[in-house]
Amino acid sequence: MIRVLVVDDEALIRTGFTHILNAADGIETVGAVAGGEALRAVQDLRPDIVLLDIRMPDVDGLTVLADIRRLADPPVVAMLTTFDTDEFVAGALRSGAAGFVLKDTDPEHLAYLVRTLAEGGVALSSKVTRTVVDGYLDAGSQAPAVSAVARLTDRERDVLVLVAQGLSNTEIGARVHLSTSTVKDHVSAILAKLEVGGRVQAALLADRAGLLVPRDGEGA
């Protein structure tokens, strides 16, 4: 059972997400709280996944994210937002957010994203614009990203591409015929070599480095 904590300042959002997730197989909402209660709820309820509003009136979502990430064994945190061009998205990426979930996400897709996060995958909405991505990567030249990716072995580059496509560790293992534990080892090595804090940042670097663009003659 995947244990989820919903953190949002709007009671309607908390209630809606709770009903949607509790109706999904294998997912349980263990709490739904406002921002000021988030850190204590994480410590008391020990969720696997936290869906955290990026903008809240009582406390800054990025501050809550940083506090959660400092815990000894932090849960996976994905940010909730209504804005695909939210100026806080880049800051959340740098602080270790595992993804972004728009509040108008289709109910069936919401459960899929939670399962993806629980399996180590990336939840990055296609509506997160190029402007936001470029802002995180400091825009401009792709040379630093290419240089970073050059540190990887061929196998690690293959795994990175699949991470960037949003696949979980289990799905990656099935694709490249490796055990899930071996995939985890590869992902850890990739994050260390790229000097990033999470899979989302690694995925964005892969995109900037051109790894997601089909080579000539491919993808036809």
Side-chain angles (χ1 to χ4, degrees), residues 43-66:
Q43 293 172 317
D44 291 345
L45 300 173
R46 306 304 299 171
D48 303 304
I49 307 293
V50 176
L51 301 180
L52 172 64
D53 190 4
I54 203 168
R55 290 175 178 247
M56 295 179 287
D58 58 339
V59 63
D60 176 20
L62 296 185
T63 298
V64 175
L65 172 61

Side-chain angles (χ1 to χ4, degrees), residues 93 122 124 130 132-134 136-139 141-152 157 160-161 163-165 190-213:
L93 285 171
V122 172
L124 185 61
R130 177 59 51 191
V132 173
V133 172
D134 284 347
Y136 167 69
L137 293 173
D138 296 324
S141 173
Q142 71 176 150
V146 172
S147 177
V149 168
R151 303 169 193 157
L152 306 180
R157 280 196 292 274
L160 175 59
V161 169
V163 166
Q165 291 174 354
I190 289 166
L191 299 184
K193 290 182 179 181
L194 297 183
E195 300 180 357
V196 296
R199 297 168 76 105
V200 175
Q201 299 96 313
L204 296 180
L205 272 176
D207 187 18
R208 170 54 63 82
L211 295 187
L212 306 189
V213 178

